[in-house]
Amino acid sequence: MQPLWQLYAGHFARPGADPAGPPEAVLRAARELVDYRKLRVEPGRVAFAGRGMAVTLNGIAQGYVTDRVSERLRAEGMTDVLVDLGEIRALGHHPSGRPWSVGLADPLVDGRNAGTLEIADRAVATSGGYGTPFDPAGRFTHLFDPATGGCAREWLAVTVLAPDATTADALSTALSVAPEARAAVLLDRFPGTAARLTRRDGSVLALRA
């Protein structure tokens, strides 16, 4: 997805940038550089099949690192810990014996919580374009639809609960570009997960698998 990130970031960094976004021809060229099937991961190296391709780990790396740190802490005997490295994983319970409390940012009002989740031995990840807008109006963000090269517009925010942070992180990113009917089908493929999807009008769709 990195070619799309570079395209949008570069476009809106220029003075007098077209508020409608990059030209279609340029967008089409960048989209042709996005294809996971052309990414080769081998022992000792990562390679691309095409010149100009690039990769970002933004959609899963924070969850993966959160899991690795959590596993190291557990291996050292720490059974009740809340790990927050961009995504959140709860080991055990709060020292008081209750579940850990995780606040959810309101995507419509900066600095306000939209709710609270109570979790124990679970992970939480949230994806929302409001976190990294490229343009002043916030219409173009860092969440991209690989099928079109455009920015995700289906949901304001997606929060996923899962047994581990890697799964939660990956699903919150994937669901961000999934229409409502497809979101439920995708979540059903991952046992023990649930999602909270905020529509653009502020209403919420809760999905449990």
Side-chain angles (χ1 to χ4, degrees):
M1 304 301 291
Q2 188 66 9
L4 291 173
W5 181 297
Q6 293 167 336
L7 172 63
Y8 281 92
H11 173 82
F12 286 106
R14 290 192 291 271
D18 185 349
E24 177 57 35
V26 179
L27 178 58
R28 190 182 313 116
R31 191 171 64 240
E32 290 177 358
L33 299 174
V34 177
D35 189 342
Y36 74 93
R37 294 165 297 186
K38 295 180 181 178
L39 176 65
R40 296 197 297 267
V41 180
E42 304 168 355
R45 74 169 188 156
V46 174
F48 302 103
R51 184 178 298 276
M53 293 182 68
V55 67
T56 171
L57 303 179
N58 191 53
I60 195 170
Q62 288 184 165
Y64 178 82
V65 170
T66 301
D67 283 335
R68 299 291 79 76
V69 170
S70 298
E71 289 164 6
R72 291 292 299 271
L73 293 175
R74 179 176 282 160
E76 294 296 325
M78 299 183 187
T79 58
D80 296 294
V81 182
L82 187 68
V83 180
D84 182 357
L85 295 171
E87 313 304 348
I88 295 172
R89 183 165 175 180
L91 302 180
H93 293 73
H94 187 275
S96 68
R98 63 171 174 80
W100 296 98
S101 296
V102 177
L104 302 178
D106 190 330
L108 293 172
V109 181
D110 188 34
R112 186 174 77 179
N113 272 5
T116 303
L117 297 176
E118 304 293 323
I119 62 171
D121 290 316
R122 300 196 80 188
V124 178
T126 296
S127 294
Y130 60 91
T132 311
F134 290 117
D135 63 318
R139 294 178 57 231
F140 299 91
T141 74
H142 71 295
L143 291 172
F144 303 108
D145 184 340
T148 66
C151 299
R153 302 191 187 279
E154 191 75 25
W155 311 100
L156 279 179
V158 176
T159 296
V160 173
L161 289 88
D164 60 86
T166 304
T167 300
D169 195 6
L171 276 176
S172 69
T173 304
L175 290 172
S176 293
V177 298
E180 188 167 319
R182 190 175 178 187
V185 173
L186 177 60
L187 201 67
D188 282 342
R189 296 174 57 186
F190 295 86
T193 61
R196 185 182 191 275
L197 301 97
T198 304
R199 300 183 180 94
R200 304 204 73 80
D201 63 2
S203 62
V204 174
L205 171 66
L207 296 176
R208 297 186 179 275

